[in-house]
Amino acid sequence: MSTLFTPVQTGNYNLKNRIVMAPMTRSRANDDGTPTALNAKYYAQRATLGLIITEATQPSDIGQGNVNTPGIYTAAHVLGWSKVTSAVHAAGGRLFIQIMHVGRMSHPENVVGNLHSIAPSAIAPKLQLHTPSGMKDVPPPREMTLQDIKNTIAEFRHAARCAIEAGADGVEVHGANGYLLQQFFAPNANTRTDAYGGTIENRARFALEVAAAVADEIGRERTGFRVSPGGLLGDLDEGNEGPELYRYLVGELDKLGLAFLDVMHWGNEELLKDLRKIWHQTLILNRPGRPRELIGADVAAGLADMESYGSAILANPDFAHRVQLNAQFNEVQKETFFGGNEKGYTDYPVMA
């Protein structure tokens, strides 16, 4: 565990420890996606971590999937996020804003302007989403045209520039958890026959173009990328070629020299070891449900450079301090995960 508390170089930043706050949707932004003073307090409370990766943040109106998620594409968003980044930096922390387009994981009731979703193909996931009027089936998306693809890449580029203008140390491109970029990877969501469908190389093309555009806009040292190989979120099935797609994707991302690869691990240990060999920069590893006694094990074993934690950090603003002292964790209040006020958000107690 002691290796968790040694510095690590990530991009241009020398981070004070190897613990990462995982991105977690909390749905506490204003209706227009602008972060609030409460959001600033929440993130600043957790600035003792080596790196904070923020909740998923949409790059456009149509990129939104849930209510009260933050955006990073308007002047108001930039101003709101600047208060968050200033608070985190004043507390000695580093923060990357995660940029995420939901693709088909959306409902018009949840989107500014009631926009209809877009995705690689017009295939709806067999899921329901929470909306202001209750749980609703996810409607079929509109298949993206080539111009839609170009426009979306431009939106990611613009959002990345806005994040830096807001004072973020960098951005993480979200290519995981069932959202737009991963939808291109999965044959059950992508039946295209053009340059963005069919072969492994074609299905990875959009994600690589997004990553390259963001790195070109703000610098590769300020760009990270998240993957979740084999993850079934969003009703996705990456098929038998899934592991090989990720070997190809990570190899191509590695050529871009990005700051880090953030891996949400779903159990394929052989693939994880291969990705570790393929990737030559910082590797962040998140194992959902990792037991307390295994905190630090992947860094100690050399399988990762940093370890990422979600709900444990949500419930313990002083997570790093508690780990160092082997102190008891606060109990997670799951009923307060999404939406609401300071309860279950900024009111978790810290150790004296």
Side-chain angles (χ1 to χ4, degrees):
M1 186 182 69
S2 62
T3 52
L4 275 181
F5 297 95
T6 58
V8 60
Q9 188 73 23
T10 301
N12 284 347
Y13 305 111
N14 188 35
L15 305 179
K16 56 193 171 188
N17 60 54
R18 295 168 183 258
I19 303 173
V20 179
M21 179 177 175
M24 293 174 282
T25 295
R26 304 304 310 275
S27 295
R28 282 172 168 85
N30 287 331
D31 290 343
D32 68 349
T34 301
T36 70
L38 191 64
N39 303 145
K41 181 179 180 180
Y42 167 73
Y43 284 114
Q45 286 177 336
R46 291 152 180 82
T48 55
L49 303 170
L51 178 64
I52 291 170
I53 302 176
T54 74
E55 61 207 284
T57 305
Q58 58 260 15
S60 60
D61 288 347
I62 203 169
Q64 183 179 8
N66 295 296
V67 295
N68 295 111
T69 54
I72 185 63
Y73 55 97
T74 71
H77 296 156
V78 170
L79 181 59
W81 274 114
S82 68
K83 296 175 183 177
V84 176
T85 60
S86 294
V88 169
H89 290 155
R94 294 287 186 185
L95 179 144
F96 275 48
I97 294 176
Q98 186 191 67
I99 303 176
M100 180 266 281
H101 191 303
V102 299
R104 68 183 191 171
M105 291 296 293
S106 181
H107 191 283
E109 289 186 29
N110 293 351
V111 182
V112 174
N114 300 110
L115 298 174
H116 195 76
S117 63
I118 58 174
S121 299
I123 302 171
K126 298 179 178 65
L127 294 170
Q128 290 191 324
L129 285 178
H130 179 76
T131 75
S133 60
M135 297 299 293
K136 298 284 186 70
D137 290 338
V138 178
R142 177 175 63 79
E143 180 172 311
M144 296 173 73
T145 65
L146 292 179
Q147 188 60 50
D148 288 327
I149 289 174
K150 291 180 181 178
N151 292 346
T152 303
I153 293 170
E155 288 170 357
F156 271 89
R157 181 188 284 270
H158 173 69
R161 172 50 53 195
C162 287
I164 299 305
E165 290 175 1
D169 297 297
V171 306
E172 175 179 88
V173 175
H174 197 347
N177 294 24
Y179 297 116
L180 181 61
L181 272 63
Q182 192 183 15
Q183 289 162 24
F184 274 85
F185 303 159
N188 75 329
N190 179 359
T191 58
R192 302 176 72 96
T193 58
D194 61 7
Y196 294 92
T199 67
I200 284 173
E201 293 80 6
N202 282 358
R203 284 182 279 132
R205 189 183 309 279
F206 176 61
L208 292 171
E209 289 179 349
V210 169
V214 170
D216 177 67
E217 184 67 27
I218 65 171
R220 61 186 184 181
E221 73 283 354
R222 295 195 288 197
T223 305
F225 196 97
R226 190 175 219 217
V227 295
S228 56
L232 301 177
L233 297 175
D235 191 33
L236 294 185
D237 183 354
E238 293 168 336
N240 294 332
E241 289 186 323
E244 197 56 38
L245 183 147
Y246 281 98
R247 291 182 179 97
Y248 169 76
L249 173 71
V250 171
E252 294 302 302
L253 289 171
D254 186 68
K255 294 175 184 177
L256 296 177
L258 307 183
F260 62 80
L261 180 73
D262 181 3
V263 180
M264 191 171 186
H265 182 55
W266 291 108
N268 189 332
E269 295 294 332
E270 179 182 358
L271 176 60
L272 178 60
K273 291 177 182 177
D274 286 347
L275 298 185
R276 177 60 165 164
K277 294 175 184 176
I278 294 169
W279 184 257
H280 294 94
Q281 290 72 242
T282 299
L283 190 145
I284 299 170
L285 183 58
N286 180 283
R287 291 182 185 267
R290 188 196 310 254
R292 171 72 182 266
E293 63 270 17
L294 293 181
I295 292 176
D298 287 316
V299 167
L303 194 55
D305 299 295
M306 305 184 77
E307 293 180 7
S308 167
Y309 294 89
S311 60
I313 288 175
L314 178 157
N316 296 276
D318 54 349
F319 177 85
H321 189 47
R322 289 176 188 260
V323 170
Q324 278 186 303
L325 297 181
N326 197 28
Q328 184 176 353
F329 284 169
N330 294 323
E331 186 175 346
V332 176
Q333 302 171 26
K334 293 185 178 180
E335 68 277 8
T336 64
F337 275 3
F338 306 109
N341 50 28
E342 70 278 357
K343 182 173 174 55
Y345 191 61
T346 56
D347 66 345
Y348 280 105
V350 298
M351 294 176 62

